[in-house]
Amino acid sequence: MLRLKTLRGALLGAAAMLAAFGPARAADPGVTDGEILIGLFAPMSGQLAAFGFDPLQAAKMWYEEVNKKGGIHGRKIKVIVEDDKCTPTEAVTVVKKLATVDKVFLVNGGSCTAAAVAAQEFVTREKIPFVMLNAAGDGGVFPPTRYVFGAFGGTQRTVGATIMEFAIKELKGKKIAFIAHDDDFGNSNWSTAKAVAARMGAEVVAVERIPPRINDVTAPLLKVRAANPDVIISTAYPAPAVLIAQKYAEFGMTKTPLVQAVQGIPIPAVFAKNVGNDAALVNFYYGSPLNDLTDGPKQQKWIQLYKQYYPDRTPGAFMTYGLPSAMAITRALEKVGKDLTREKFVDAMEATQFDSGVLAGLTAFAKDRRDGYRSSIFIRFDGKTHTLMPGAYSWNGKDGM
Amino acid sequence: MTLLILQAIASGVVTGCVYALIALSLVIVYKSTDVINFAGGEIVMIGGYAGMLALLYLGLPYILIFAFAAIATFALGALFDRIVLHKVLGRAVPGQSILVAMVIATVGLSYVLKGGVRVVPYTEEVRRLPPFFTGEPIFIGPVVVQRQDIAIIVVAVVVMAALWAFFSLTLTGKALRATSQNPRAAALVGIPVRRMRMTVWGIASALAAIAGVLLAPKLLMTPDMGVIVILAFAAAIIGGFASLPGCIIGGILLGVIQNIVGLYVGSNAISVAPFAVIMLILALRPQGLLGGRVAAKKV
């Protein structure tokens, strides 16, 4: 009897000791008193590295800046970088590795939609916050799921809605021709563009859904010309976008404005060189989520900072796209306070709303919203000179949903 | 409506000429070695990039760019045969087909070329060679044709004619034909079969490279541009896989069909059209439009 009492006493004592000195509950991985571990990934090699290398470096730079100012509630941010090569299988592997081997607190990454969306199932199952880097990520943010945040440069729904609104409002388009790919990107573009046209009373006189690997755009452009639109919109990728601009000039359609979505013109100077015909750009516009031209005064602050961090590298056109996601993360971490858990972080992300100083509009999330950004600006480009068009255009989150 | 059709046909003929050139490069190899070359598209891509490098680093005029790309890929094709296929052939077990291994070797080559090109500067972005001819388009009746497109047709026709002359009029061409018809008999009469196989791979690769340089100003260059080989296979099947004139006709028909389908069925049907035509041809005339009689062959 005495022995039992002694044993019970010892167990109670041990429990009391654990309660007093041990953790109050099982802490989430990747957080210590002095550190928050973030898994950062993007395509750092391969042909799509241009989409991710600089944005990832920019996010890293932002975390360093935060660390320089003392970190977040006394904790420094430490990043572990991985390369997903923009492929879904690599992305899933990388995210699993970051979560299970490196035991990061959250994952910040993905520059390509398919790769970012592929990681969604795993992070949702494991309840790991996943904040995309600069992927459009329509498939990952619609419908919204608790642990996934993205679209810091806008979804393809935003691209479709804003380009249509610009064509109608600024270019006074009443008869619109719309060229989009026959894939998920194109579906997203068209779903919102169609709804905006209907709401604003414009008629879509031609809709050409082209394959991403099309090598002759004669047929779609002939049909567009036959429909006699007063504005032509293209949301095509870089190679078809060039073919469209060439054929548009070849068929003498340059009196009709041509508006190209951002995905088709990653570097305007290269686009103009590839089109190789000044006539194609006399009435040409392109969209951008940024608050200025890629090298404009509002972007210079970030470009100069980047050059301080990486003096040997000239930043690419997508560099600043990596900043808003890192900014959103540090704001949410700040908001949670010292007692940091993944669930509290997700709650804080849901309440995040701020002006990044990078993009044309606010970056914002809500309980039922996981796409962070919904605005675009438009730029007139004649092959040499970029002219900002007035105003920013925003998707209302309802059109096409 | 007639104008739309004529314009679609004109553009289709231009694209079709390039398909035909690539198809020719596939058919020459197939006729001579029984191997289907799955690296054909990547050799087209290498030709395009070789042209770009010749322009950027050597500043060559266009005529020499064609020559540079053709010579570089001739060497590539010949070396591939000498180093890889010859070794594969040497390991053949009597009574067993070695063709599968040879075809897989071409698949391997396609991956090596694509991977190799990605480490070269300038390949991260979509690139384009400048057009051979610039200036106002030419109007043939109401149909607009770019000077560049006419140049593509002319170059393609000249190359096809040269190929015909080579195979019909030269001793080496005749030796190549003999080798493709009966390698054993060719060897018996003193034709160096091994060297002939290397020559065939070289010529086919040079043809593909010329197609690549023709394509580069029109369809833009990326390391993935080799997927166009699928359309060349379609062209060859339509024309008859063993027929050189057949694949020229097949290529041009395919280019036109794609545009007509795009016009009347829908732009999103353009990429499906070649496969629908392949199925139709295989169902109705398996040997293709100009192919000979179908015969079962034990391989």
Side-chain angles (χ1 to χ4, degrees), chain A residues 46-47 50 182 207-211 213-220 222-223 225-226 238-240 242-243 246-247 249-251 266-267 270 273-277, chain B residues 3-4 7-8 11-12 15 19 118 123-128 137 144 146 149 217-220 222-224 227-228 231 258-259 262-263 265-268 270-271:
Chain A
Q47 64 165 340
D182 57 356
V207 182
E208 293 303 317
R209 302 296 303 275
I210 59 172
R213 291 193 185 279
I214 193 165
N215 48 36
D216 187 352
V217 294
T218 300
L222 281 174
K223 287 200 281 184
R225 188 176 67 173
V242 169
L243 298 180
Q246 287 174 332
K247 203 56 93 174
E250 189 181 318
F251 288 167
I267 303 171
V270 173
K273 200 173 168 191
N274 284 337
V275 171
N277 182 355
Chain B
L3 172 62
L4 288 186
Q7 189 71 60
S11 184
T15 319
Y19 296 160
R118 285 197 172 127
T123 60
E124 316 89 17
E125 298 289 339
V126 173
R127 299 278 170 182
R128 172 179 178 265
V144 189
Q146 293 293 316
D149 289 348
K218 191 172 168 63
L219 301 185
L220 312 178
T222 67
D224 292 319
V227 291
I228 199 167
L231 297 169
Q258 279 189 303
N259 275 351
L263 213 51
V265 181
S267 297
N268 51 355
I270 289 173
S271 56

Side-chain angles (χ1 to χ4, degrees), chain A residues 160-200:
Chain A
T162 54
I163 204 168
M164 182 59 85
E165 191 175 347
F166 171 74
I168 297 168
K169 267 191 185 166
E170 180 65 28
L171 303 177
K172 314 289 179 218
K174 289 189 171 58
K175 294 188 295 172
I176 314 284
F178 196 85
I179 306 171
H181 288 302
D182 57 356
D183 60 2
D184 285 347
F185 261 43
N187 291 341
S188 298
N189 295 147
W190 175 230
S191 66
T192 49
K194 181 171 59 175
V196 169
R199 176 168 57 77
M200 297 182 75

Side-chain angles (χ1 to χ4, degrees), chain B residues 206-273:
Chain B
L207 264 181
I210 290 169
V213 178
L214 285 175
L215 274 174
K218 191 172 168 63
L219 301 185
L220 312 178
M221 286 186 292
T222 67
D224 292 319
M225 70 186 280
V227 291
I228 199 167
V229 78
I230 301 291
L231 297 169
F233 277 123
I237 291 167
I238 291 168
F241 216 96
S243 162
L244 297 184
C247 64
I248 295 168
I249 292 170
I252 292 170
L253 263 181
L254 185 63
V256 173
I257 287 169
Q258 279 189 303
N259 275 351
I260 298 293
V261 167
L263 213 51
Y264 289 101
V265 181
S267 297
N268 51 355
I270 289 173
S271 56
V272 183

Side-chain angles (χ1 to χ4, degrees), chain A residues 386-398:
Chain A
H386 302 261
T387 311
L388 269 178
M389 300 305 290
Y393 295 81
S394 295
W395 175 45
N396 59 17
K398 293 178 192 139

